[in-house]
Amino acid sequence: MLGLMQDWPLLCHKIIDHAAIQHGEREIVSRSIEGPIHRTNYREVRARSLKLAQALERDGYKLGDRIATLAWNTWRHLECWYGIMGIGAVYHTLNPRLFPEQIAWIMNHAEDKLIFVDLTFLPIIEAIAASVPSLEKVIVLTDDAHMPESKLPNIVSYESWLAAVDGDFTWKTFDENTAAGMCYTSGTTGNPKGVLYSHRSNVIHALVSTQPDALGIAAKEAILPVVPLFHANAWGISFTAPMVGAKMVMPGARMDGEGIYELLDSEKVTFSAAVPTVWLMLLQYLEETGKKLPHLTRVVIGGAACPRTIIQKFQDNYGVTVFHAWGMTEMSPIGTVGSVKPQFQHLKGDALLDLQEKQGYTPFSVEMKVTDDENNEKPWDGKSFGILKVRGPAISSGYYGGDGKEQFDDDGFFNTGDVAHIDKDGYMQITDRAKDVIKSGGEWISTIDLENLAVGHPDVAEAAVIGIYHPKWDERPLLVIVRKAGSDPSKEEILGFMKGKIAKWWMPDDVSFVDEIPHTATGKIQKMDLRKQFADYKLPTA
Ligand code: ADP
């Protein structure tokens, strides 16, 4: 027997409809690429997204077409997402921090037909357009007054292109499993792989992540997504914020400490989301200037393991609660969130930080397990670690074009490539990426634990740990450090600081000081490059 409930497809544009109806006046404030602060609201964004959909249809775009965006977080980028999805086409976010050749490769793989591009990134498209034969048209996210000279054929300013239609348009209706968005993983091994979100998965992910123990977003909040729309589906915030009617504050091209602080302060932001490196910059700015964060109540930190000092400083010095979260592009992206379960509400100080340093537990809709190489499940005892696998309605079932089939097991679980353990209370902790873990004498050493510990030293700006060949142990850890400006800690000081806080045999065999640690396009430490850099390195213990 079937239930007798209405068939109301979970389509993303219903989210912006709802926002316009219930929270129409709620603001979306952006630092525009042209400079000034720009203000709009959900009603206007919906109206302009409808125009965008209408203009796309007029130009011949239709269901299933991939339409690229290469843009910062602004109201225009948000309009692109909703307008594109509104005709059943697919927003395809491109990461401007990739090399132009990589962007071209990805665009060709996706066969993008049209691109919406910020002024900042137009030179990238000018350089690669000729090598992307599918690309028919370039729309620059600005008005005619700011349009630069360009030799590209078929280029137009966003505002003049939108002005040519009247907005008398109705969203298309289609199956909720229709593709809505696309984002390629950075592909630290092999070619990038295309993750393809559906309308249904985006809506479910938003419903789940607004829960109080996940991101807990409410209409009264003002949200600043520092996390770019081009990184892992913007952690879902383009859907969660309008779903609940929260004010959105979009940072545009400025993500430095001062730029973020200005918006947090002037727009009375209560909630924000970013990777640890962004928060390190903000905390440094606050320490230098003595400024405080009177409005901010919560931050979610993910994308890379969050060092304990960041959590501690936010909470102790600024009264901001930290939610450490883990996820990935393939998971829409939220997998776990580190909110505090009732049995731990009494925890304080170090005991609370121990819990918060873990990546957290799964919200409803995410299943996880930790297995060995033969897919045997490991116990949830907080120490047995292995490969982390996940399953759920907002998790990839495959990659665009059929790549990466080996990452799925017979039960439909996806191999995340992360190494983790889970404790009896369900809290998961990532110890490494499988390809970064150090294998010393047959035992594994977590590079994340070592890095997070080292970064707690007051003179350390950034730390990375890699395995270096050792004749007896196979691999031993080398700690690579960027010192804070104006400080000059010695190897002995750093190792002395770490001593006693980790198992003896985890202690790095050496410390190397560098000016800079290489980063990936999503702001993570680029271990592959670092390993190349230290390929000929000889440990003093070898
Ligand atoms: P990319 O690999 O393209 O940067 P993702 O955002 O999809 O994009 O990366 C996901 C990976 O980032 C995870 O598999 C994990 O290795 C790492 N990661 C994300 N959040 C955390 C976290 N809180 N702690 C440790 N690692 C994390």
Side-chain angles (χ1 to χ4, degrees):
M1 189 189 282
L2 293 177
L4 281 171
M5 286 291 135
Q6 295 181 12
D7 185 12
W8 194 83
L10 302 178
L11 297 176
C12 293
H13 41 263
K14 292 187 175 178
I15 296 177
I16 200 73
D17 285 349
H18 173 76
I21 293 165
Q22 286 294 349
H23 309 279
E25 301 297 314
R26 200 72 173 122
E27 273 189 310
I28 297 161
V29 182
S30 311
R31 194 190 288 285
S32 70
I33 307 307
E34 295 86 351
I37 296 292
H38 174 275
R39 290 175 187 278
T40 179
N41 60 35
Y42 282 120
R43 185 172 303 124
E44 285 173 25
V45 162
R46 174 180 180 271
R48 281 163 52 94
S49 303
L50 273 168
K51 288 181 90 174
L52 195 146
Q54 184 184 18
L56 284 175
E57 193 179 60
R58 177 204 60 190
D59 289 358
Y61 298 98
K62 55 183 192 319
L63 192 85
D65 282 344
R66 274 79 65 204
I67 297 184
T69 65
L70 187 62
W72 300 110
N73 290 8
T74 67
W75 80 103
R76 287 189 180 121
H77 197 173
L78 193 67
E79 290 166 0
C80 290
W81 277 36
Y82 280 101
I84 292 167
M85 291 185 291
I87 60 162
V90 183
Y91 63 86
H92 174 199
T93 52
L94 294 165
N95 186 338
R97 295 182 188 130
L98 294 170
F99 293 117
E101 308 79 67
Q102 292 174 306
I103 296 178
W105 187 95
I106 289 172
M107 291 183 77
N108 279 319
H109 193 264
E111 295 173 285
D112 294 328
K113 287 191 166 175
L114 164 73
I115 188 164
F116 291 95
V117 59
D118 262 340
L119 284 165
T120 335
F121 307 127
L122 184 56
I124 301 179
I125 296 306
E126 287 174 328
I128 63 174
S131 59
V132 185
S134 59
L135 188 62
E136 298 165 354
K137 195 183 187 90
V138 176
I139 299 179
V140 185
L141 293 165
T142 191
D143 52 22
D144 277 351
H146 292 88
M147 260 310 261
E149 288 282 318
S150 175
K151 291 207 173 62
L152 285 177
N154 252 336
I155 182 169
V156 62
S157 87
Y158 179 75
E159 295 299 338
S160 65
W161 178 74
L162 268 196
V165 290
D166 60 11
D168 183 12
F169 189 74
T170 313
W171 302 124
K172 299 285 161 199
T173 296
F174 33 78
D175 188 279
E176 63 182 17
N177 288 300
T178 304
M182 190 177 213
C183 180
Y184 278 68
T185 58
S186 33
T188 36
T189 51
N191 283 324
K193 297 197 225 27
V195 172
L196 206 49
Y197 308 110
S198 67
H199 281 258
R200 174 185 151 87
S201 69
N202 275 338
V203 173
I204 289 177
H205 182 267
L207 287 168
V208 167
S209 51
T210 50
Q211 291 177 14
D213 285 318
L215 303 187
I217 306 174
K220 64 181 182 212
E221 305 266 356
I223 297 172
L224 192 158
V226 187
V227 53
L229 269 72
F230 57 75
H231 183 200
N233 213 19
W235 300 3
I237 294 175
S238 316
F239 304 112
T240 47
M243 183 177 270
V244 301
K247 168 177 167 176
M248 291 184 88
V249 182
M250 305 288 244
R254 276 197 66 189
M255 300 190 207
D256 57 294
E258 184 184 23
I260 295 300
Y261 171 79
E262 276 176 16
L263 288 177
L264 290 175
D265 189 57
S266 62
E267 298 305 324
K268 300 191 169 49
V269 171
T270 58
F271 178 73
S272 184
V275 294
T277 29
V278 166
W279 297 127
L280 279 174
M281 286 192 291
L282 177 74
L283 288 171
Q284 207 166 335
Y285 173 78
L286 294 175
E287 281 162 19
E288 282 161 16
T289 57
K291 291 182 168 152
K292 294 285 175 199
L293 299 169
H295 312 292
L296 195 65
T297 61
R298 282 166 11 265
V299 288
V300 56
I301 306 184
C306 181
R308 191 179 178 98
T309 47
I310 295 190
I311 307 177
Q312 186 175 20
K313 280 183 185 170
F314 262 123
Q315 296 184 162
D316 294 352
N317 303 354
Y318 302 99
V320 175
T321 305
V322 170
F323 289 84
H324 189 189
W326 164 85
M328 58 199 312
T329 307
E330 290 87 337
M331 302 181 73
S332 295
I334 294 172
T336 58
V337 182
S339 52
V340 180
K341 286 189 180 180
Q343 62 268 42
F344 299 119
Q345 288 291 333
H346 63 282
L347 293 181
K348 290 201 171 54
D350 276 337
L352 179 61
L353 288 172
D354 286 345
L355 183 79
Q356 291 182 300
E357 227 181 330
K358 299 186 176 195
Q359 276 74 5
Y361 64 93
T362 51
F364 173 74
S365 84
V366 179
E367 291 177 61
M368 68 176 168
K369 64 179 179 185
V370 166
T371 74
D372 63 15
D373 287 339
E374 277 72 51
N375 204 17
N376 301 308
E377 263 196 66
K378 300 262 184 166
W380 288 25
D381 59 7
K383 53 181 197 274
S384 303
F385 56 88
I387 305 156
L388 180 61
K389 297 180 182 170
V390 291
R391 188 166 73 174
I395 297 172
S396 296
S397 63
Y399 291 101
Y400 181 62
D403 294 331
K405 290 209 170 65
E406 67 288 352
Q407 272 177 267
F408 299 86
D409 73 14
D410 294 343
D411 303 322
F413 274 84
F414 167 74
N415 179 340
T416 63
D418 286 324
V419 178
H421 52 70
I422 307 172
D423 68 20
K424 65 176 184 15
D425 298 292
Y427 283 79
M428 183 275 290
Q429 185 156 22
I430 303 270
T431 59
D432 240 315
R433 277 205 161 183
K435 56 186 184 298
D436 293 336
V437 73
I438 296 175
K439 295 183 180 113
S440 170
E443 298 284 346
W444 290 11
I445 298 177
S446 157
T447 62
I448 292 183
D449 283 1
L450 296 181
E451 287 158 5
N452 283 349
L453 180 56
V455 126
H457 188 286
D459 294 334
V460 172
E462 199 173 15
V465 173
I466 50 170
I468 298 279
Y469 170 73
H470 190 284
K472 180 166 177 204
W473 304 109
D474 287 338
E475 271 186 332
R476 290 293 303 158
L478 167 72
L479 173 60
V480 182
I481 285 206
V482 180
R483 301 179 179 98
K484 274 202 186 142
S487 72
D488 191 18
S490 67
K491 165 181 165 179
E492 289 70 30
E493 277 168 349
I494 304 280
L495 293 181
F497 170 80
M498 297 173 76
K499 209 169 157 187
K501 300 187 178 102
I502 41 166
K504 244 194 201 148
W505 63 277
W506 279 37
M507 282 294 278
D509 281 28
D510 203 6
V511 181
S512 178
F513 296 93
V514 295
D515 292 335
E516 211 183 330
I517 287 175
H519 288 100
T520 68
T522 47
K524 291 170 204 179
I525 293 170
Q526 177 58 276
K527 296 250 172 118
M528 211 165 47
D529 286 1
L530 205 59
R531 281 191 285 263
K532 272 188 210 146
Q533 201 175 317
F534 285 91
D536 301 322
Y537 197 79
K538 293 263 177 309
L539 288 168
T541 52

